[in-house]
Amino acid sequence: MKKLFFCLFLLTTTVAFVQAQENTAAKLWTAADRQYTIDNMKRTRDELVKETQNLTPAQWAFHESADRWSIGEIVEHLALWEIIWNREISIGVRNKPTPELNASSRPDSYYNEFIMEDAKHNASDYTKPTGFVEGKNNLAFFLRNHAINLAFVETTQADLRAHFEFTGTPNPRNMHQVLIFQWGHVDRHLRQIRKVKTHPNYPK
C-alpha cells in the first residue's frame, strides 16, 4: 500500500513540474470549469460517504446474487478507478497542449449522458474488485485516492481543455472530459449502491 501511495505522489509531483513550464496564455479551461468539477467531485464523494459510512459488516458484504458485487466491492472498484484517473490525467497533462483537437471532440454532454446511461457497462479485469478489502476500509481506500485527485483539480495550472489523451479515436477526450467521467463514474455506482439497498434480503 505504501508503494501505491508513493507512485501516486510521484505522478502528482511530475504533473506539478510540467505545469510550471506551461505558458500563461489565456486558458480554455475556465474558473467556472474548475468550480464545476470541484463541486461535482465533492458532491459525489459526500453522497458516497453518506450511503456507506454507517453500514454494518453484513451490509457491506451483502450480494444481491452470486454474480453481483457487494457494496464493499463497488466501493473498492471506485477506489481502483481513482488511481487510474490519477494516472490518466497525469499523463494527459504531460502531453503537448493540442487545443485544436477540441474541434473534433464530443461535447461535454455526451460524457455525462454516456456514464449515466441505463445500459450495462462491463468493468475491465484490472478494475474488478478483489473482495479482499474489509468493509469500511474500502471507503477509506477510496477517500485517500480521491483526495489526491481533488487536490490536483483545486490547484492545477494546466489547461485541462487543451490537453488530450493519446488515442486513435476520431473523438479524443480532453482532461476536463476525463474528469466528467471521474465524478460521473461515482454517480453511476451510487445508483448501483442504492439499488443493492432495496433488495428484499438486504440486511437491516
Side-chain angles (χ1 to χ4, degrees):
M1 189 65 71
K2 288 183 178 179
K3 185 178 292 185
L4 173 63
F5 291 146
F6 174 76
C7 290
L8 286 171
F9 171 78
L10 185 61
L11 284 169
T12 304
T13 303
T14 302
V15 168
F17 173 79
V18 173
Q19 289 167 3
Q21 311 307 309
E22 288 198 350
N23 61 42
T24 57
K27 290 183 170 61
L28 299 175
W29 196 59
T30 65
D33 286 333
R34 185 195 300 272
Q35 194 59 52
Y36 172 78
T37 304
I38 291 170
D39 289 347
N40 279 290
M41 289 182 71
K42 288 182 176 180
R43 174 186 60 79
T44 52
R45 175 201 63 192
D46 293 348
E47 288 185 26
L48 185 65
V49 170
K50 182 179 178 181
E51 291 289 346
T52 61
Q53 64 181 344
N54 295 318
L55 296 183
T56 66
Q59 289 170 332
W60 275 108
F62 173 76
H63 291 262
E64 297 168 274
S65 61
D67 62 338
R68 302 292 295 172
W69 292 350
S70 67
I71 293 176
E73 289 168 334
I74 294 168
V75 179
E76 182 190 355
H77 169 73
L78 290 173
L80 292 171
W81 263 109
E82 289 295 319
I83 298 170
I84 296 168
W85 298 129
N86 180 283
R87 180 179 184 277
E88 191 163 344
I89 293 169
S90 67
I91 291 173
V93 298
R94 280 181 282 170
N95 295 340
K96 180 181 177 181
T98 50
E100 65 276 9
L101 292 180
N102 281 295
S104 58
S105 180
R106 297 182 188 273
D108 293 352
S109 59
Y110 169 83
Y111 298 99
N112 280 302
E113 292 165 6
F114 173 78
I115 199 67
M116 290 303 290
E117 67 181 2
D118 290 331
K120 182 179 179 180
H121 291 185
N122 294 316
S124 303
D125 286 343
Y126 58 87
T127 71
K128 291 179 179 177
T130 64
F132 297 153
V133 185
E134 181 181 350
K136 63 183 180 181
N137 291 336
N138 288 291
L139 181 60
F141 185 25
F142 169 83
L143 291 174
R144 177 65 178 82
N145 297 338
H146 185 276
I148 294 171
N149 291 332
L150 179 59
F152 167 79
V153 174
E154 289 175 329
T155 61
T156 184
Q157 296 305 305
D159 188 345
L160 299 188
R161 286 195 182 275
H163 288 277
F164 282 76
E165 298 174 299
F166 280 130
T167 176
T169 67
N171 304 113
R173 296 185 300 188
N174 62 48
M175 294 300 103
H176 178 75
Q177 293 169 336
V178 171
L179 285 164
I180 290 174
F181 266 166
Q182 188 272 348
W183 57 260
H185 185 237
V186 181
D187 258 335
R188 183 177 181 86
H189 285 291
L190 279 165
R191 184 172 65 186
Q192 184 182 6
I193 288 169
R194 289 164 182 147
K195 178 178 177 293
V196 172
K197 290 182 172 184
T198 66
H199 193 279
N201 294 330
Y202 180 71
K204 303 302 182 184

